[in-house]
Amino acid sequence: MSSVRILRQPRWLAFGFVVLLVIPSFLLLSRWQLNRLEERRVTNDLITRHSAAAPVPVDDVMTPGAPTGTVTSDQRWLPVTATGRYDAAAEVLVRKRPLEGRNGFWVVTPFITTSGAVLVVNRGWIEATGGAAEVQDVPAPPIGEVSLVGRVQPSEDAPDPQPADLPEGQITDLSVPLVTGGAAAYPGYVTLVESTPSQGPVPTPIPLPERSDGPHLSYAVQWVFFAAVAVTGFVI
């Protein structure tokens, strides 16, 4: 039987149709991975440039009372300075924040600046101890006037109201309105870099994200390889 007659058989027609469908799909998936690689490189470059910038007063970057959605990528990771005092009584823990493979919490404390506006400060990470509802041991923030440097981050979205079964003093997400309770506050929060006086080694400072290309390039190559395999398999 000739090759032409074989290819006219229903099962080979169906097989050929599947191959014609699969090839552009695999190539589109490869292109999608390349787009993700480009997005990741842009993000990595932003983190590198902004985190290395000289600190500026927080009022140069954020406006107290502005909507939380006003913190953009142009502001994210920029170091800012502020002076004031911590409101330790309003401190909360943000749940389910792993670090280096260990489960833990972010320690978040409102910071009353000298202007009276509230700056939400992520003081760092502590490891979770005991059961889910157990009270965590959190080192107190420095007392009195504090000068700090922190990196700007946008407020997170959070369920409102929060789940009823949350332990007291814990929240699901770092939402500025959840922490401040509606007080006049900056629209984003900051991750603490340093302060005077220092708060010590605990909580652990939040590190910058890993800035690698990730697996996207290898995945893009794999999808092209799969497309080639589909063509080769059909011919063979």
Side-chain angles (χ1 to χ4, degrees), residues 54-66 70-71 74-85 111-121 146-153 176 184-191:
V56 297
V58 64
D59 288 311
D60 289 357
V61 178
M62 295 189 290
T63 303
T70 58
V71 177
D74 291 336
Q75 298 161 298
R76 195 172 186 184
W77 307 108
L78 286 174
V80 295
T81 61
T83 301
R85 59 178 179 81
F111 187 77
I112 315 301
T113 63
T114 52
S115 67
V118 180
L119 177 63
V120 174
V121 179
V146 177
S147 296
L148 61 79
V149 177
R151 296 189 180 98
V152 172
Q153 296 293 334
V176 167
Y186 293 92
Y189 69 93
V190 298
T191 54

Side-chain angles (χ1 to χ4, degrees), residues 131-158:
E134 191 165 324
V135 176
Q136 305 296 311
D137 183 19
V138 183
I143 299 173
E145 185 173 274
V146 177
S147 296
L148 61 79
V149 177
R151 296 189 180 98
V152 172
Q153 296 293 334
S155 175
E156 298 179 349
D157 294 328

Side-chain angles (χ1 to χ4, degrees), residues 8-43:
R8 287 177 178 173
Q9 294 180 10
R11 65 186 180 122
W12 284 105
L13 289 173
F15 188 22
F17 175 77
V18 170
V19 170
L20 290 175
L21 185 65
V22 160
I23 291 173
S25 300
F26 285 177
L27 294 179
L28 285 173
L29 287 169
S30 177
R31 182 61 187 171
W32 174 63
Q33 287 293 343
L34 290 175
N35 288 339
R36 293 197 61 190
L37 173 62
E38 181 60 26
E39 291 171 0
R40 184 158 185 163
R41 286 174 172 172
V42 169
T43 299

Side-chain angles (χ1 to χ4, degrees), residues 218-233:
S218 62
Y219 287 167
V221 173
Q222 286 176 23
W223 283 118
V224 173
F225 174 76
F226 293 153
V229 167
V231 174
T232 304

